[in-house]
Amino acid sequence: MRELDVKLITENVAEMCKEAAYYLPDDVYRALKRGRETEKSPVGQIVLDQIIKNAEIARAEDRPYCQDTGMTIVFLEVGQDLHIVGGDLEEAVNAGIAKGYTEGYLRKSVVGEPLFNRVNTTNNTPGVIYTRIVPGDKLDITIAPKGFGSENKSGIAMLVPADGVKGVKRAVMEIILHASMNPCPPMVVGVGIGGTMDRAALLSKKALTRSIDERNPMPEYAKLEQELLEMINSTGIGPQLGGTTSALAVNIEWAPTHIAGLPVAVTICCHAMRHAHRVL
Amino acid sequence: MAESIRITTPFTEEMSRKLKAGDSVLITGTIISARDAAHKVMTEALARGEKLPVDWTNQIVYYLGPTPAKPGDPIGSCGPTTSGRMDAYTPTMLDQGIKGMVGKGSREPAVIESMKKNGATYFAAVGGAAALIAKSVKSYTVLAYPELGPEAVAALEVVDFPAIVVIDCEGNNFYEIGQQPYRHFDINQI
């Protein structure tokens, strides 16, 4: 059985936290450039120029793209034939987050308890860790830091089957219109359809780890992604101060659901669509 | 778009009242950062009848929690945070003499009413342009509440800090004005 020392996990997670905070993925950068070419609002063009310049500075100088370096979401896929040795997996991941956020001069934005005693944990831990056991002997790690300007505008709708495609479109657009310019558009919209309430929410997060150049493999969902993107770009929200580039992409993921249900979750991400991926 | 208007601090009501929604500005001088926790602490202190550690007369407040500065830099990445979270505290703070606010996102009607009364202007900086904005910040000095970490109240010396007037002293709102020409969507058409 293949062995993997937790020290390696900590080291890699630390580097990935920095990498995600500094380097905007190429697909998002290219989409911003395309948006700048087609943006009709003069103010929107100025905003996009600043956003593109910001991405270039952050990448060239190893600086956080945004000061909200997020709460650290971690997707782990652990091969069932892999033996993790030397310590506890979640502790190792959190140690990596603490190291990455400290060494990388990232902002520590996590409070230990949400309601009565909101004290900063000072190292951005704990991360939000989702672990799946999969075939194989590798550890697949995706780090997706999530800023809360956009997270606060995300939402969920528990539809019924009769609501259908129309209902899904309305539910997504109600969340988008309510969010308006607040989640730092141009946004990237992750949609989870089906499952249970919690599963739909998780799918909407997972959807954001897919390249924005890639459409859902099922043609009906790919079409829905395109239709929703066009609707969002005709709201006028634009890049924060009005215009035609409100969103760069809509990524949908779906899952089987109950005969009585049609959950729809929407995670809105700002233009800082950050993630890092490694396989150990 | 017209040339940017250069403004310097202290930022008086007279200067504020000249600005119109949609104006592009470059701010030079000292602006003061404060966000969620600092607003809570300050308004609680005022409710107890205490004096605030900072004189807010003719100041511009920046809703900000920066990343830590790398060695040799005055500040880390420092874009605006969502202003709406400060809305509950804002009328009280404007009564302290603040004439300008820099943040991002919409404001509540009560804030806009208080802005009209106090002659205050609300500016937006580009959300997420944090590494770029850092280039216009020359120094960062904590003035109060250092225990709040990135949420401390601090003086930022800025040169040509880029912002846009979103809501002016008359309540004109560029978020509305700017979206309107590009809005062709009606949810009832779905």
Side-chain angles (χ1 to χ4, degrees):
Chain A
M1 189 175 253
R2 186 176 167 243
E3 290 196 342
L4 180 65
D5 196 294
V6 288
K7 283 197 203 81
L8 262 171
I9 299 172
T10 298
E11 282 308 316
N12 277 278
V13 167
E15 285 168 24
M16 290 165 78
C17 288
K18 292 187 253 182
E19 193 180 303
Y22 301 157
Y23 314 135
L24 188 71
D26 285 339
D27 56 341
V28 184
Y29 179 75
R30 285 194 304 267
L32 286 167
K33 288 271 213 186
R34 285 197 299 274
R36 174 62 182 82
E37 292 306 310
T38 55
E39 176 55 55
K40 292 200 174 73
S41 156
V43 183
Q45 291 170 3
I46 292 172
V47 173
L48 286 168
D49 281 340
Q50 285 195 30
I51 290 173
I52 290 165
K53 184 95 188 123
N54 182 66
E56 290 164 357
I57 292 171
R59 178 173 284 276
E61 301 181 11
D62 283 356
R63 292 178 188 282
Y65 180 95
C66 178
Q67 78 288 341
D68 185 352
T69 45
M71 189 158 193
T72 317
I73 301 176
V74 184
F75 293 103
L76 299 176
E77 291 188 356
V78 186
Q80 64 186 27
D81 296 323
L82 178 69
H83 185 203
I84 292 165
V85 296
D88 177 289
L89 172 61
E90 288 208 355
E91 272 176 23
V93 170
N94 280 320
I97 293 171
K99 187 168 155 61
Y101 275 69
T102 305
E103 290 178 357
Y105 297 93
L106 311 186
R107 198 180 76 187
K108 291 80 181 171
S109 311
V110 175
V111 294
E113 184 270 317
L115 186 56
F116 297 103
N117 193 24
R118 295 180 60 92
V119 176
N120 197 307
T121 61
T122 74
N123 61 11
N124 221 53
T125 65
V128 178
I129 304 172
Y130 296 107
T131 307
R132 274 183 67 208
I133 306 291
V134 298
D137 64 357
K138 301 275 194 285
L139 175 64
D140 186 300
I141 309 174
T142 301
I143 301 273
K146 188 66 173 68
F148 260 57
S150 57
E151 186 68 1
N152 280 343
K153 298 296 164 189
S154 299
I156 200 155
M158 298 304 286
L159 304 183
V160 296
D163 291 323
V165 176
K166 231 178 166 176
V168 170
K169 287 181 183 168
R170 275 194 79 102
V172 172
M173 290 310 295
E174 274 169 16
I175 290 167
I176 296 293
L177 291 176
H178 174 72
S180 192
M181 83 302 281
N182 292 296
C184 286
M187 43 190 143
V188 179
V189 181
V191 181
I193 303 177
T196 47
M197 183 184 72
D198 51 315
R199 183 137 199 219
L202 180 54
L203 285 172
S204 73
K205 284 276 180 303
K206 202 83 210 246
L208 291 172
T209 62
R210 195 212 303 160
S211 163
I212 64 169
D213 291 337
E214 229 175 84
R215 301 279 47 87
N216 188 292
M218 190 164 149
E220 292 91 332
Y221 284 99
K223 182 166 170 269
L224 184 57
E225 289 175 340
Q226 197 51 39
E227 287 172 348
L228 284 167
L229 179 62
E230 282 163 21
M231 283 184 206
I232 296 168
N233 284 335
S234 62
T235 56
I237 294 168
Q240 308 185 14
L241 291 156
T244 51
T245 320
S246 310
L248 302 176
V250 176
N251 282 6
I252 302 177
E253 294 293 333
W254 59 270
T257 191
H258 188 276
I259 47 173
L262 180 54
V264 179
V266 178
T267 292
I268 300 181
C269 188
C270 53
H271 56 83
M273 238 286 275
R274 300 162 285 192
H275 41 79
H277 176 242
R278 285 186 191 185
V279 180
L280 303 183
Chain B
M1 215 179 155
E3 276 287 288
S4 294
I5 300 167
R6 288 179 183 273
I7 60 177
T8 52
T9 63
F11 184 62
T12 62
E13 181 169 347
E14 193 193 345
M15 294 157 81
S16 177
R17 289 207 181 270
K18 282 186 190 143
L19 297 173
K20 296 287 164 243
D23 285 347
S24 174
V25 302
L26 293 170
I27 304 168
T28 296
T30 304
I31 62 177
I32 299 177
S33 71
R35 54 174 284 159
D36 307 57
H39 275 75
K40 185 167 188 287
V41 175
M42 287 190 291
T43 50
E44 283 171 359
L46 287 169
R48 289 191 302 266
E50 294 167 17
K51 198 168 170 287
L52 294 183
V54 171
D55 179 5
W56 286 97
T57 310
N58 295 335
Q59 298 289 1
I60 295 175
V61 64
Y62 184 23
Y63 302 135
L64 163 73
T67 59
K70 283 184 168 181
D73 288 344
I75 197 168
S77 295
C78 55
T81 195
T82 305
S83 309
R85 290 195 315 274
M86 268 47 81
D87 282 358
Y89 313 109
T90 298
T92 306
M93 293 306 297
L94 292 185
D95 289 343
Q96 292 296 304
I98 292 174
K99 295 295 175 226
M101 298 169 277
V102 183
K104 67 178 176 84
S106 52
R107 309 303 303 258
E108 286 296 319
V111 170
I112 299 175
E113 284 313 307
S114 176
M115 287 171 60
K116 290 191 211 168
K117 185 185 89 180
N118 286 291
T121 297
Y122 173 47
F123 303 93
V126 172
L132 174 74
I133 290 171
K135 299 281 179 199
S136 64
V137 179
K138 305 305 164 193
S139 72
Y140 176 87
T141 314
V142 173
L143 299 177
Y145 315 122
E147 67 278 10
L148 298 181
E151 298 205 54
V153 172
L156 281 75
E157 198 192 313
V158 297
V159 175
D160 290 343
F161 179 104
I164 288 165
V165 176
V166 188
I167 307 176
D168 63 28
C169 306
E170 287 166 15
N172 299 304
N173 189 337
F174 193 75
Y175 281 136
E176 270 304 310
I177 302 165
Q179 287 191 12
Q180 206 278 329
Y182 310 103
R183 188 183 299 146
H184 311 294
F185 177 74
D186 176 4
I187 197 162
N188 296 312
Q189 299 289 311
I190 291 176

